Amino acid sequence: MNRLFDPLRRALDFTLRMLGALFLLLWVSAALGWPWHVYGWLGRDPGGFEGAPDIIVLMGGGGIPSESGLMRTWQAAREASRFPKARVLVAHPIEAGENEKMLNPVIQELILRGVSERRILREGRGRNTREQALQIRQMFEGSHESLRLLIVTSPEHMRRSILSFRKAGFRHVRGRSVEPVPVMADLTRTSQAGDPLSALDDAVGQSLTIRYRIWDNLGLTVRVSRELAALAYYKLKGWI
């Protein structure tokens, strides 16, 4: 009977060892800040045009309210203010119940931030970056090659977005993302007098890496890993 279970035990042992090694690698990566190098590469604009865009394309992200949706919309409104002649195109799936009287929350946020509703266009049929690029091409079929597009999205989504739009036939594409700004205030702290765990509290309180950076980097690792997988998939499909 034991012989029957030996292969299963070996497979389970190998799996647990691999998971442990992966877990350790993730922590080392987070502690050393490695995900930020990949994050920077993903957010780098691979070339582009000079001058003002004709269309500011806002990739919808997680919608409103969400971190990605709010930050992208905030940046798109800034770009709309910088380039007042550019139209703003919201690429976001049409929500249930959405109509002329009940505008999409992303569009409402743009209007709240000073973008005139008359400047706003909408693409609501695409369900991913590839489909959105193709749908936007159809909207401007015949003139898409001369249009200058400014893509507004999250940093980790920038490279895939730009490459997808170029693959769809747009020749003049560049990107703009929202870069995170670190808190500059002093967040270190010390223990209170008489605290029996004062030594441990001081060690943790004085280390921003333990309190914040490792956890932020672990979350970033998930985001860049997902995006690298998406880039590989798009490449295999011939979409970029």
Side-chain angles (χ1 to χ4, degrees), residues 8 16 27 31 34 63 69 81 89 91 96 106 153 166 180 199 205 212 217 229-230 235:
L8 180 61
L16 291 176
W27 274 91
W34 292 345
S81 177
L89 195 160
V106 174
T153 188
R166 289 179 181 162
Y212 298 114
N217 290 347
K235 186 67 175 178

Side-chain angles (χ1 to χ4, degrees), residues 141-198:
E141 192 66 54
S143 62
H144 66 277
E145 290 187 352
S146 62
L147 281 177
R148 293 172 294 181
L149 301 186
L150 176 63
I151 309 297
V152 176
T153 188
S154 302
E156 69 271 20
H157 185 233
M158 180 60 67
R159 180 171 291 269
R160 180 158 56 98
S161 296
I162 291 176
L163 295 177
S164 294
F165 275 85
R166 289 179 181 162
K167 187 69 173 184
F170 293 95
R171 294 185 176 181
H172 310 289
V173 186
R174 78 170 191 255
R176 181 77 70 183
S177 59
V178 183
E179 295 295 339
V181 178
V183 176
M184 302 305 295
D186 183 6
L187 300 178
T188 58
R189 61 179 177 80
T190 55
S191 62
Q192 300 293 325
D195 187 342
L197 297 177
S198 59

Side-chain angles (χ1 to χ4, degrees), residues 49-190:
F49 61 90
E50 299 292 334
D54 300 307
I55 306 290
I56 299 168
V57 180
L58 169 56
M59 308 300 285
I64 300 287
S66 72
E67 178 185 356
S68 64
L70 284 169
M71 293 300 287
R72 295 180 190 193
T73 306
W74 177 81
Q75 185 65 41
R78 289 187 65 190
E79 300 303 324
S81 177
R82 290 181 61 206
F83 305 110
K85 294 183 179 181
R87 304 291 296 274
V88 180
L89 195 160
V90 177
H92 193 282
I94 295 175
E95 303 281 359
E98 190 178 338
N99 52 49
E100 293 181 359
K101 293 183 179 180
M102 183 60 70
L103 296 175
N104 180 275
V106 174
I107 296 177
Q108 294 182 42
E109 187 72 17
L110 283 172
I111 295 172
L112 179 66
R113 296 187 179 279
V115 181
S116 171
E117 187 176 350
R118 291 176 296 181
R119 296 178 61 188
I120 300 175
L121 302 171
R122 179 70 185 279
E123 191 295 295
R125 298 178 63 185
R127 296 162 297 175
N128 56 46
T129 306
R130 161 73 172 178
E131 291 184 2
Q132 288 167 337
L134 293 177
Q135 291 293 334
I136 292 172
R137 171 176 171 158
Q138 288 186 14
M139 292 174 64
F140 300 102
E141 192 66 54
S143 62
H144 66 277
E145 290 187 352
S146 62
L147 281 177
R148 293 172 294 181
L149 301 186
L150 176 63
I151 309 297
V152 176
T153 188
S154 302
E156 69 271 20
H157 185 233
M158 180 60 67
R159 180 171 291 269
R160 180 158 56 98
S161 296
I162 291 176
L163 295 177
S164 294
F165 275 85
R166 289 179 181 162
K167 187 69 173 184
F170 293 95
R171 294 185 176 181
H172 310 289
V173 186
R174 78 170 191 255
R176 181 77 70 183
S177 59
V178 183
E179 295 295 339
V181 178
V183 176
M184 302 305 295
D186 183 6
L187 300 178
T188 58
R189 61 179 177 80
T190 55

